[in-house]
Amino acid sequence: MDFNVKKLASDAGVFFTRAVQYTEEKLGQAEKTELDAHLENLLARGDCTKNWTEKIFRQTEILLQPNPIDHTGARIEEFLYEKLEKKIPLRITNAEVLGQYMQDAAKEFGPSTPYGSTLITVGEYQKRIGAVEREFIHASAVGFLNPLRNFLEGDWRIISKERRLLENYRLDLDACKARLKKAKLAEAKAAATPDFQETRPRNYVLSASASALWSEEVEKAEQELRVAQTDFDRQSEVTRLLLEGINSTHVNHLRCLHEFVKAQAAYFAQCAVHMQDLQKELSSANDDTFPNAFVGNPSMSVIAPGPSPLSTAAPPGTSPPGRTSASPGPLDPVVTLKIGEVKPPATGTRKAKVLYDYEAADVSELSLLADELITVYTVPGMDPDWLIGERGNQKGKVPVTYLELLS
């Protein structure tokens, strides 16, 4: 091993000199060379850019991967695959996990049941949303996160390294200035004319010799100062050029920000399309599933077993007023239904809790307030999506979907 003692001693001396200069500056015992205003502004702007870029980068990672534990594990996994030079496997999203759980549950409950078939449908759309989310995460990582990471781990590291060199050169420059100042003071003191009456000739000779030595020390200090000033000026220029590149960084990050917004907008738009398609599919399925499940379950039935006012309003085989025998229809009784003439059946009435506020569309309907309790029942031939609701002296049709039937 090549162990250079002289170089080690020289480096240790430089480090000690810088440490002394830094300490004296903090204690106010030494002068400090100030940077020019333009370079100071560039340094402040660079620090601001670095700090906010780092915060935006971290928060975007949290947005794309909300769970901090999963986020840390993902970063470790990416690091290992990067070191092994292998392709990072695709990660399953939370929506895809939820969709798979729903489909697995449907197999246990029975795919042919209303709940099971709905779980299968919703699970499939959750998987689609998860796939869209995965594409959004990938696009955001490539178009937005990677440029921010490259700046923090690449450009800013170079700028930080050059700033540290600039600070070291400034300490060397100020140390040289302090050394030259001390040498000049000592030279002036040694060059003072001695008093021959009070000073012996031997001391005069020694004083003249000391003056010559201090003159050589001043020349040496001036030479070191010129070298230190040159190094400091050159490093200031290098640091200034690097910091002025922050403008290009802002332009690049602006373009990446537009790409991120574009990817996010596409993600939300595709999610909205999938959810609208899911709602349409569920609505079409509800027309067949919910009424059949409501009527077919004896414990949930609200149909009166006895005769109702509508069943006695017209004899069997005759048509109610307003309808001819040539135009029968199962929903026609609803059209001719007079809410004021409807009487609650002797049995079959139930209590129901209102889930949402509902504004009546006409006089035949009953307005509802969320969380209130009403009495509901049905009559033969009535639209299965509606019930008759009573609240005190008020009576009218109410939609089934706005109610929660109580036992």
Side-chain angles (χ1 to χ4, degrees), residues 285-332:
N286 289 348
D287 292 340
D288 299 329
T289 303
F290 285 169
N292 292 339
F294 177 74
V295 177
N297 189 348
S299 62
M300 296 289 291
S301 177
V302 296
I303 299 178
S308 66
L310 288 182
S311 63
T312 58
T318 63
S319 300
R323 191 185 73 186
T324 62
S325 57
S327 58
L331 298 181
D332 288 345

Side-chain angles (χ1 to χ4, degrees), residues 43 47 156 159-167 239:
L43 289 172
D47 289 334
W156 186 252
I159 293 175
S160 299
K161 179 181 177 181
E162 298 300 329
R163 286 182 65 178
R164 288 193 297 269
L165 287 176
L166 177 63
E167 180 65 13
T239 306

